[in-house]
Amino acid sequence: MITPLEQTVLDCINDDELIGWVQALTRIPSVWKPELGIGEEAAARWVQARCQEMGLSTAFEFVQPGRPNVIAVYSPPVPPQLGRERKRLMFEGHTDVVTEGDPSKWTDPPFSATIRNGRIYGRGANDMKAGVCCALMATKAIAQSGVRLDGDILLGIVCDEEGRMIGIKHFVEQGWADQVTACIVCEPEENHLCIEQKGVMWVKLLIRGVMSHGAMPLTGVNTAYPMARFLTMAQALEEREIVRHPASPFLGRPSITPTILMSPVRGGGEPQNNVMPGATECTLDIRLIPGQDPDWIATQLEKMAAAACAIDPRLSYDFQVIEVRHATRTDREHPVVTTLASAFTDLTGQAPIYGGVPGSTDGTILNARKGIPIVTCGPGDIYIPHHIDEWVSIDEIKTAARMYVLAAMRYLGASAR
Ligand SMILES: [Zn+2]
C-alpha cells in the first residue's frame, strides 16, 4: 500500500519533464569513437547538470580522455542514532551506447528520439538512457518533496559498460562503492526484478609443437591431437558442471563452449593441405551460473592442458584466463529486492516478475569486487537493446521512476521532516 508520505513524493514526479529528459539524453550521441577520442563526455555533462540543478554534490572523473564517470550523492542530514547503520542505495547506469549501424536502416534518424505509439525511438533510449533518467527523476522527486530519508542515494552513471567496463572498475577503484549497501542496476528489464546474472570467463590455450611436411609427420610434432584431447576433457568438465550445479530457473545451465579454434594460428602462415602446422589455438567461452567457482574451473582446465601435452616432451602450451566476470545472485528476501517488489505491486496491482540477466552488467563488478547486493531492474524491452529502431515504452518509464522512489524510501527509511 502506498502511504500518504510516499504519495507526496510520487506527486513530485513530473512526467513531461521525465519524457523530455529521456529525449534530450537520447539526442546526445554517446557512441565511443576511439579514432576521434569522442565518447560519453557530452552525455555525462548533461547528467551532471541535472544533478547540480537538484542540489546534489557531484563528481566528474575522467577514466580516460573523452570517457568520464558522473557520481552524485543525495545525503540528507540523519538523526545521530541512525548514523552507524546508515544505508546507501546506489542507482547505477551507463552513458555509452552501441553504434547505430547504418542510419538508413532506421525508420527515424537514430538519435532523433521520436515519439510514436507510446514509445521513444532512438539508439540508447532503451539501453539505457531511460533508466538513467528514471533514477535522476526519482532522486529529484525525493529531494524536492521535503521528505527526509534515513540514508543516502548515490547515482553512479559511468562510461564504457558496453566495452571493457572501465567506467565501473574505475568507480570501484576510486572508493565510491565502499559505503554502498545495495544497488539497483537500471538496465532495461521491462521492470522485472532480475536477481541473477550469468557470469562469463574466457580462456585461451595455445599448444606449440613442431611444424613439418604432411608426408613426414614424425619429423615434427602435431598439435591438433593434443588439442582434441583437451577439448574432449573440457566437454566432460562441462557435463560434470551441469550435474553438479542444477539449472537456474532464470539462467539455465552452465556451459563451456569452444568459440575459436585455429591451426595454423595467426601469424603461422597460410593453411596448406600438405603442411602440418606448428601450433593450435583455442578460445573457450565459459558461461557461469551462481554457485560455480571460476578459479576452480580454470585450474581444472589448466591441468587438462598439461595432461593433453604430457605425451610428448616437445609439446608446450600457454594457458591464459583472458577475462572473468562472476555470476551473481541476490536473495529474493533481501530488502533491496522486497522493496522493489512491493513497489511494483503497489503501482501496477500485479505480482512482481523475477528474472535473470543472460549477460553481465556493471552490477557484476560491484557484486564481485565489493559484495554489493544488486538487482537489475529498469524500463525497456529486454530484447531490443542494440537493435535497429531501438525503443522504450513511455508507460514503463513512468512506472520505473515511481518504483525507484518507493524502493528508495522503503529501503532507506523515510519520515516527514
Ligand atoms: Zn546497458
Side-chain angles (χ1 to χ4, degrees):
M1 206 183 69
I2 292 169
T3 66
L5 189 70
E6 289 170 345
Q7 193 57 52
T8 52
V9 183
L10 293 178
D11 290 343
C12 292
I13 291 179
N14 179 337
D15 283 322
D16 291 339
E17 186 175 37
L18 174 58
I19 300 312
W21 280 2
V22 177
Q23 287 185 292
L25 188 53
T26 302
R27 285 175 184 145
I28 304 172
S30 45
V31 181
W32 171 234
K33 298 200 166 122
E35 66 285 2
L36 302 173
I38 298 173
E40 300 92 335
E41 184 170 354
R45 290 283 179 209
W46 184 93
V47 170
Q48 184 191 30
R50 301 292 79 71
C51 294
Q52 286 169 337
E53 280 167 9
M54 59 180 101
L56 309 187
S57 62
T58 70
F60 201 85
E61 297 181 345
F62 281 94
V63 181
Q64 69 180 63
R67 314 206 76 177
N69 289 342
V70 189
I71 302 103
V73 182
Y74 176 66
S75 185
V78 165
Q81 69 269 23
L82 283 169
R84 269 187 304 130
E85 59 205 45
R86 191 181 181 95
K87 292 178 183 167
R88 174 169 277 194
L89 177 64
M90 174 176 178
F91 288 101
E92 199 276 346
H94 61 85
T95 44
D96 59 320
V97 303
V98 298
T99 175
E100 70 276 27
D102 178 356
S104 71
K105 297 241 171 25
W106 287 67
T107 306
D108 310 287
F111 297 101
S112 62
T114 306
I115 292 182
R116 264 186 294 113
N117 311 320
R119 298 169 168 184
I120 303 172
Y121 286 86
R123 170 59 78 233
N126 168 302
D127 184 10
M128 56 171 289
K129 287 171 169 175
V132 168
C133 292
C134 288
L136 289 170
M137 180 53 78
T139 309
K140 182 178 179 182
I142 289 168
Q144 266 189 349
S145 66
V147 166
R148 196 189 63 208
L149 288 186
D150 296 336
D152 303 332
I153 293 175
L154 183 145
L155 299 169
I157 312 299
V158 303
C159 65
D160 188 44
E161 193 271 348
E162 305 286 2
R164 290 178 299 122
M165 301 188 174
I166 60 170
I168 197 69
K169 289 173 183 167
H170 186 269
F171 174 93
V172 170
E173 283 152 17
Q174 296 302 304
W176 287 110
D178 291 354
Q179 274 128 43
V180 173
T181 53
C183 176
I184 296 172
V185 181
C186 308
E187 291 273 7
E189 301 294 349
E190 298 172 22
N191 295 336
H192 297 180
L193 279 66
C194 294
I195 52 178
E196 294 187 356
Q197 300 191 131
K198 253 189 195 177
V200 59
M201 176 164 68
W202 291 313
V203 304
K204 193 159 105 175
L205 174 65
L206 171 70
I207 299 179
R208 279 188 234 90
V210 178
M211 185 180 178
S212 76
H213 195 299
M216 294 169 283
L218 294 180
T219 64
V221 180
N222 191 294
T223 53
Y225 288 132
M227 183 60 83
R229 275 195 291 281
F230 169 77
L231 289 174
T232 306
M233 287 187 267
Q235 190 182 24
L237 177 63
E238 180 192 57
E239 283 165 10
R240 288 201 298 279
E241 284 294 282
I242 289 170
V243 173
R244 265 162 36 101
H245 301 277
S248 145
F250 304 125
L251 305 175
R253 306 193 314 186
S255 58
I256 299 179
T257 306
T259 47
I260 304 175
L261 185 56
M262 279 192 307
S263 189
V265 298
R266 283 186 198 98
E270 283 295 303
Q272 273 181 257
N273 291 341
N274 61 350
V275 175
M276 187 176 85
T280 302
E281 185 184 299
C282 174
T283 300
L284 300 178
D285 182 345
I286 300 162
R287 299 293 164 151
L288 307 156
I289 64 173
Q292 285 185 289
D293 177 358
D295 295 338
W296 184 85
I297 293 171
T299 306
Q300 299 310 304
L301 288 168
E302 181 150 22
K303 281 183 190 163
M304 291 169 184
C309 293
I311 45 149
D312 191 320
R314 292 169 297 170
L315 285 168
S316 65
Y317 68 90
D318 278 333
F319 181 84
Q320 245 187 308
V321 177
I322 307 167
E323 176 85 48
V324 184
R325 297 174 188 167
H326 290 71
T328 72
R329 174 185 281 152
T330 301
D331 196 279
R332 216 182 264 231
E333 298 309 316
H334 189 282
V336 73
V337 181
T338 56
T339 51
L340 262 180
S342 67
F344 182 83
T345 298
D346 290 348
L347 290 164
T348 65
Q350 291 163 16
I353 302 163
Y354 296 92
V357 183
S360 48
T361 68
D362 283 340
T364 305
I365 307 291
L366 293 169
N367 184 270
R369 298 205 181 171
K370 291 290 170 182
I372 296 169
I374 57 166
V375 51
T376 312
C377 178
D381 183 281
I382 289 167
Y383 299 107
I384 210 71
H386 305 189
H387 281 230
I388 298 284
D389 287 344
E390 178 178 336
W391 57 273
V392 59
S393 148
I394 289 176
D395 282 344
E396 278 177 26
I397 293 172
K398 292 177 182 173
T399 302
R402 288 163 173 79
M403 284 173 75
Y404 293 168
V405 163
L406 295 181
M409 293 177 74
R410 292 173 186 183
Y411 173 76
L412 296 170
S415 51
R417 217 191 285 268

